[in-house]
Amino acid sequence: MFADHLNMMRLAVAEARKGVGKTAPNPAVGCVIVKDGAIVGKGWHKKAGTPHAEVHALRAAGALAEGADVYVTLEPCSHFGKTPPCARALIEARVARVFVAMVDPNPLVSGRGIGMLREAGIEVEVGLLEAESRELNRPFIKWIQTRRPYVVLKSALTLDGMSATASGDSKWVTGDAARREVHRLRGRLDAIMVGVGTVIKDDPLLTCRVPGGKDPLRVIVDSTLRIPRHAALFSLKSQAPTVIATCCTDTAGIEAVVAHGVEVLVCKEKEGRVDLDDLLTKLGERGVQSILLEGGHHLAGAFVRGGLIDHCMLFLAPKLVGGAGTGLFAGEGVHLMADAIRLEDVKVKRVGVDLLVEGTPKVKTIGTEKI
């Protein structure tokens, strides 16, 4: 019987996965309704402001929801937001049991939805496939608890650790399949961030070029506002805006950049550069839950030394530069291998001819340095 419950929750997780990258600022949630061993309804949250997963599943089940078991990846909401509370909808449908993968970290809900169900006489079990549910919503969980975005470092490297040759050439380190995967990743995260050096060198568009994908918010870290006025970002036609993060307070310089149709976000200054802690706080305040840190070894070095990276995704190409080149991080790292930052929960998979290695930093700081 326990295996049956696991299988049903796995299906709910699969439903939730359909919404990853589409529901911000809400979490991705899936729901499956089972009556007498048969699935009678399932659904997933498609977009913020639209019905939640439980509502879609209940509509599909209709009258069969009465006396049924419900498997949902996140605690049903208990409050009125843009939609009515899902806990109330389950109560009105007279379901028998609700299996919840994880408690909602949102203080507006956190245990209240479960409490409502139990008070109505509905049996509730919590914790089935909790780890899988949490993994789906890592950006939402961090943002709801800290109001700061979840930072994913992405880079393409050769086997000898180079992202570019000594001449600066980097097109292309990885193959077509890996680059398509990166575009899908852009479509799932809220923002993409690079340093101004990457804009000067590569003149990128920073868009999501896959069918049905959405462009992320583009954030350019440019402490002194030296971004070229002819940069392709200024003429880009996209619904997603471009933000230049700077610590420059020169009014004329700011107005000159704003005149090109982008937003300038003035941050605190730290040692002559944008204070990255302040930048992340400001982006979190505007609802950005996730960032793809994609370009610039100087910016990546500052992030890693500041302990600001939550997850690493490194695409490794079966190539060797064979000498001098550009590595992943600029600046001074650790002096002893024993002090190197280790990754936990490491996963490795093949993407075309390349390998994707990803994991979470166990220790997020190098020494006591903060950037």
Side-chain angles (χ1 to χ4, degrees), residues 94-117:
R94 301 173 66 85
V95 303
R97 292 186 297 182
V98 178
F99 295 84
V100 176
M102 64 171 286
V103 175
D104 194 330
N106 186 343
L108 290 175
V109 181
S110 195
R112 293 179 176 85
I114 292 170
M116 283 180 62
L117 294 171

Side-chain angles (χ1 to χ4, degrees), residues 14 43 103 107 134 157 176 197-198 219 224 232 260 304 317 322 341 350 362:
V103 175
R134 294 184 71 86
L157 303 166
D176 292 341
T198 296
V219 182
T224 59
H260 284 76
V304 75
I341 297 174
R350 188 160 184 167
K362 180 179 180 180

